[in-house]
Amino acid sequence: MGLRVYGMPMSPCTATVLALLVEKGLDYELVPVNVRAGQHKQPSFLALNPFGQIPALEDGDLQLFESRAITKYISYKYKDMGPDLMRSDPAEVAGVAAWMEAEAHHYHPAIGPLVFECIFKQMFGGAPDEAVVAAQAEKLGKVLDVYEETLSKRKYLAGDFYSLADLHHLPYTHYLMCTPHASLITSRKHVNAWWEDISSRPAWQKVYGVTRSTCTTRVLVCLEEKGVDYELVPVNMAAGAHKQQPFLSLNPFGQIPAFEDGDLKLFESRAISKYVAHRYKDIGTDLLGTSPAETYSVGVWLEVEAYQFNPAIQPMVGELLVKPSRGGTPDAALVPAQAAKLGKVLDVYEEVLAKRKYLAGDVLSLADLHHLPCAHYIMLTPYASLFASRKHMLKTMDLKFDSRGKRAQS
Amino acid sequence: MAVKVYGAAYASCARRVLACLIEKGVDFEIIPVDLLSGEQKKPEFLKLQPFGMVPVIQDGDFTLYESRAIIRCYAQKYADQGTDLLGKTLEERATVEQWLEVEGQNFNPHIYTLVLQLLYFPKMGVPQDEKLIRESEEKLGKVLDVYEERLSKSKYLGGDFFSLADLTHLPFTQYLVNDIGKEYLIKHREHVKRWWEDISNRPSWKKVLQL
């Protein structure tokens, strides 16, 4: 099919495009653009978007930029694939267009700077400007009063059907919900109901939700890195399949993932990935170190991930991402406490990574990979600043995220 | 040259390491670290172990920390010496690793909470959390039910041979059975009880308790 999106999943404008592609069931390739390294201002990217902003789209010979134009193009060209979010009836088409304009000219100017101050600024080392935050929150409140009125009369913005107009609100609102200003949404009954509906759509969950457990991803990252073929067998956790037979015969603790390789059955993600790394040592990247000393160093950092990093970060993923995707609210005391613990751990990592390229040495190892799943999810929250503010950590993560994390998450 | 073990011989994580070194017949020397005065958080010590935790080992110019990393290292390094603690095939090793992870991820959190609440907090004058104790006891019980099933079919956790997967349970289970009045969790489960009596009576463990 040849659809290529140039951008980064954590960027709201890129996420909008991805949400639509997933909604329509279209195959695409996500080409990472390293904004932190200034790749978006390089000639090769400027050829795609002379304004030097992500996302950009390639579809065969066509090159396009501006997320709202991209989504319109995709909706038009692939009208018959998946849901028709642009509609066909002229009145409905016009309604969708009107609310897309409303998003662009009323909603976005209010929420954009608010989200920037509260979330993105920290990722680049800045601190929120409280005056701006307060002013923007007030503006957004007024816009949402209009939305509240509209949504009291119909289910979605342009009518009783989900459309592009609703979709365009997803990414920025997602980020807003990670801040204390989430109350702007939750305090308005119809806006809140609308938000819960659109944000629980499976396509959206695939872009920003936790659709795959971090422990499962830990195993997949290893398999992907090694280039080993595997079959992913879904376990219906919502239906409690993990607590029943036949799953319990794979893991008597009733936890995912479980693993089968011929006659061997294994559970515990870190044991599985270690087995894969050993068994397929000669295929793909050697993740276990090339000398005994390196191997033991990898061993240390595997344990540091398991007993220092993970206990700090895992509850944050649970509170900030898993809980909201099930309609809950993050524990306001627990999250900062965990963030403080994680910060202390990352201070040590920062020192280590100032002196060498990867945790266990100068070569990527299983120890680095094990950090990817939880770190990936935290990068979608305001606590991304914990990583972004530590320059050596950031450099190492950029090296790892670009393709590895993407492969395991898709 | 003897391996230097920085820590305290009475501390659980150090004991995990010491048991392994004794099983493998590796000479060691314990260098005490004064945990009560916070020696492990001082700059000198942080050079050895940047997270400020014990135990740490020094073997020549080679430093290692995280007790479960240390035991894996020595079990591998001295594979041909002393007790085989890892298994002979890739599959045996994978099963040992699996139960090592179970100890760290499923068993340890609950037993650690119980030991902290029932053994250490009274000594430190910190009030106990009754609800947390009850919950941890219940959760540990559920984990031990799985162990009971496993040990009804397998002599040891990793298979039919004593391995790191069993050894790693020694330190905290010692406290559970002897010091905090929760021995019923082990003793009321026929196969877990058999397993505990076997592993805790190994000469290596008896030696560790005497250090």
Side-chain angles (χ1 to χ4, degrees):
Chain A
M1 191 151 270
L3 274 168
R4 276 214 190 104
V5 179
Y6 291 80
M8 294 301 282
M10 64 148 71
S11 128
C13 300
T14 307
T16 308
V17 172
L18 300 182
L20 179 65
L21 290 168
V22 176
E23 193 73 55
K24 295 192 73 69
L26 292 165
D27 280 331
Y28 66 91
E29 184 193 341
L30 177 62
V31 182
V33 176
N34 193 339
V35 168
R36 266 191 294 272
Q39 200 181 344
H40 57 315
K41 304 293 180 191
Q42 300 294 315
S44 54
F45 185 78
L46 293 172
L48 285 170
N49 181 354
F51 293 97
Q53 291 169 327
I54 52 172
L57 180 86
E58 267 178 346
D59 188 4
D61 290 330
L62 172 79
Q63 287 173 338
L64 202 51
F65 57 89
E66 285 298 335
S67 62
R68 293 176 188 84
I70 293 171
T71 56
K72 282 186 184 107
Y73 164 75
I74 292 167
S75 300
Y76 184 68
K77 176 154 186 210
Y78 301 101
K79 202 170 173 52
D80 299 326
M81 297 211 50
D84 179 3
L85 297 182
M86 212 173 198
R87 314 301 291 180
S88 301
D89 173 82
E92 286 183 0
V93 172
V96 172
W99 282 95
M100 282 188 70
E101 293 300 310
E103 185 274 324
H105 301 294
H106 298 286
Y107 194 78
H108 187 263
I111 198 175
L114 180 56
V115 163
F116 177 77
E117 288 298 321
C118 294
I119 295 187
F120 289 103
K121 211 170 175 186
Q122 293 169 71
M123 292 186 189
F124 296 93
D129 179 334
E130 294 304 331
V132 172
V133 169
Q136 294 300 130
E138 204 188 311
K139 275 189 193 145
L140 184 58
K142 293 199 171 101
V143 172
L144 287 172
D145 286 338
V146 177
Y147 278 46
E148 180 67 8
E149 180 64 30
T150 305
L151 292 164
S152 70
K153 296 180 200 130
R154 52 189 189 244
K155 196 169 180 204
Y156 298 100
L157 288 171
D160 283 323
F161 49 85
Y162 180 71
S163 77
L164 259 195
D166 307 286
L167 183 148
H168 269 261
H169 290 77
L170 285 166
Y172 273 100
T173 314
H174 163 86
Y175 277 118
L176 182 78
M177 299 305 283
C178 296
T179 73
H181 302 284
S183 56
L184 287 163
I185 300 288
T186 57
S187 62
R188 291 171 171 81
K189 176 172 157 194
H190 299 100
V191 168
N192 192 48
W194 166 77
W195 171 250
E196 280 181 357
D197 182 310
I198 67 173
S199 61
S200 61
R201 289 180 76 88
W204 179 242
Q205 284 294 311
K206 257 199 114 175
V207 179
Y208 267 179
V210 176
T211 53
R212 186 165 297 139
S213 87
T214 51
C215 297
T216 307
T217 308
R218 194 172 285 123
V219 172
L220 298 185
V221 166
C222 180
L223 289 163
E224 291 284 345
E225 189 66 41
K226 304 291 290 170
V228 171
D229 276 333
Y230 63 91
E231 183 196 343
L232 184 62
V233 181
V235 175
N236 191 342
M237 308 223 0
H242 56 310
K243 300 291 180 194
Q244 298 159 33
Q245 295 295 355
F247 185 79
L248 288 176
S249 63
L250 285 172
N251 182 351
F253 292 94
Q255 293 165 330
I256 53 169
F259 177 84
E260 274 177 320
D261 188 1
D263 288 331
L264 178 71
K265 291 186 167 59
L266 275 186
F267 53 90
E268 284 299 330
S269 65
R270 294 175 186 84
I272 298 168
S273 65
K274 238 177 244 176
Y275 165 77
V276 169
H278 270 114
R279 169 101 165 70
Y280 300 100
K281 198 167 165 56
D282 301 323
I283 302 178
T285 324
D286 183 355
L287 297 170
L288 297 170
T290 54
S291 68
E294 269 180 25
T295 306
Y296 303 138
S297 183
V298 173
V300 167
W301 287 92
L302 280 167
E303 297 307 298
V304 169
E305 183 274 325
Y307 299 108
Q308 308 298 335
F309 180 83
N310 194 64
I313 199 174
Q314 178 83 46
M316 292 174 71
V317 174
E319 290 297 316
L320 292 168
L321 288 146
V322 178
K323 233 175 171 180
S325 72
R326 291 174 194 164
T329 354
D331 182 330
L334 181 64
V335 173
Q338 293 298 128
K341 282 183 191 160
L342 181 60
K344 291 203 170 97
V345 172
L346 292 179
D347 283 339
V348 178
Y349 280 46
E350 183 66 3
E351 272 234 33
V352 171
L353 292 168
K355 296 179 198 134
R356 55 191 191 228
K357 201 172 174 193
Y358 294 101
L359 288 172
D362 286 317
V363 175
L364 179 88
S365 76
L366 197 61
D368 304 285
L369 289 189
H370 276 196
H371 291 76
L372 280 172
C374 286
H376 165 86
Y377 283 123
I378 293 302
M379 291 304 280
L380 298 174
T381 73
Y383 293 95
S385 58
L386 286 168
F387 293 91
S389 60
R390 292 172 170 86
K391 75 168 200 260
H392 295 105
M393 277 246 50
L394 201 58
K395 202 166 52 143
T396 315
M397 300 231 317
D398 280 346
L399 287 167
K400 286 182 295 195
F401 272 174
D402 283 351
S403 55
R404 294 171 177 93
K406 173 197 91 166
R407 288 205 300 266
Q409 278 301 110
S410 65
Chain B
M1 190 172 32
V3 170
K4 290 197 177 109
V5 181
Y6 290 83
Y10 61 80
S12 315
C13 297
R15 283 180 166 176
R16 187 178 279 127
V17 169
L18 298 171
C20 175
L21 294 174
I22 295 173
E23 286 283 347
K24 300 306 288 177
V26 174
D27 282 333
F28 61 87
E29 180 196 343
I30 300 174
I31 316 264
V33 175
D34 189 355
L35 301 175
L36 293 170
S37 77
E39 187 187 336
Q40 73 278 25
K41 303 291 180 193
K42 303 230 165 87
E44 264 314 294
F45 189 84
L46 291 174
K47 284 186 204 146
L48 265 185
Q49 212 287 21
F51 296 94
M53 291 180 181
V54 285
V56 184
I57 62 104
Q58 256 185 340
D59 193 345
D61 49 10
F62 172 67
T63 304
L64 267 194
Y65 50 89
E66 285 294 336
S67 62
R68 294 173 189 85
I70 297 169
I71 62 177
R72 283 170 166 110
C73 165
Y74 281 87
Q76 180 64 54
K77 193 173 179 197
Y78 294 94
D80 299 327
Q81 177 178 310
T83 319
D84 173 15
L85 295 172
L86 286 172
K88 303 219 170 18
T89 63
L90 210 53
E91 288 76 13
E92 280 181 356
R93 171 96 196 238
T95 309
V96 169
E97 283 287 346
Q98 170 184 279
W99 287 95
L100 256 167
E101 289 301 317
V102 167
E103 182 272 323
Q105 299 293 326
N106 287 32
F107 180 86
N108 192 63
H110 310 309
I111 199 173
Y112 180 80
T113 302
L114 286 175
V115 170
L116 195 66
Q117 290 282 332
L118 294 167
L119 189 63
Y120 288 111
F121 279 5
K123 286 187 186 163
M124 291 152 63
V126 176
Q128 294 169 326
D129 183 336
E130 292 299 333
K131 181 162 174 267
L132 187 59
I133 292 170
R134 263 196 317 275
E135 284 170 357
S136 298
E137 213 172 314
E138 207 185 303
K139 284 178 185 164
L140 185 59
K142 291 203 169 98
V143 169
L144 288 170
D145 285 339
V146 179
Y147 280 45
E148 181 67 4
E149 177 66 27
R150 168 66 177 166
L151 292 164
S152 72
K153 297 180 198 131
S154 177
K155 190 170 182 202
Y156 296 99
L157 286 173
D160 61 9
F161 57 97
F162 177 76
S163 74
L164 286 188
D166 310 286
L167 183 149
T168 190
H169 287 82
L170 286 163
F172 280 98
T173 314
Q174 179 75 21
Y175 285 132
L176 187 77
V177 169
N178 295 283
D179 299 286
I180 59 173
K182 299 293 175 190
E183 63 272 19
Y184 80 91
L185 285 162
I186 302 293
K187 305 246 162 110
H188 289 191
R189 291 174 169 86
E190 180 197 336
H191 302 283
V192 172
K193 178 181 170 201
R194 186 262 313 148
W195 166 79
W196 174 250
E197 279 169 5
D198 181 317
I199 68 173
S200 59
N201 275 300
R202 289 180 74 89
S204 61
W205 186 241
K206 292 196 167 154
K207 249 192 219 151
V208 169
L209 294 176
Q210 283 157 11
L211 284 169

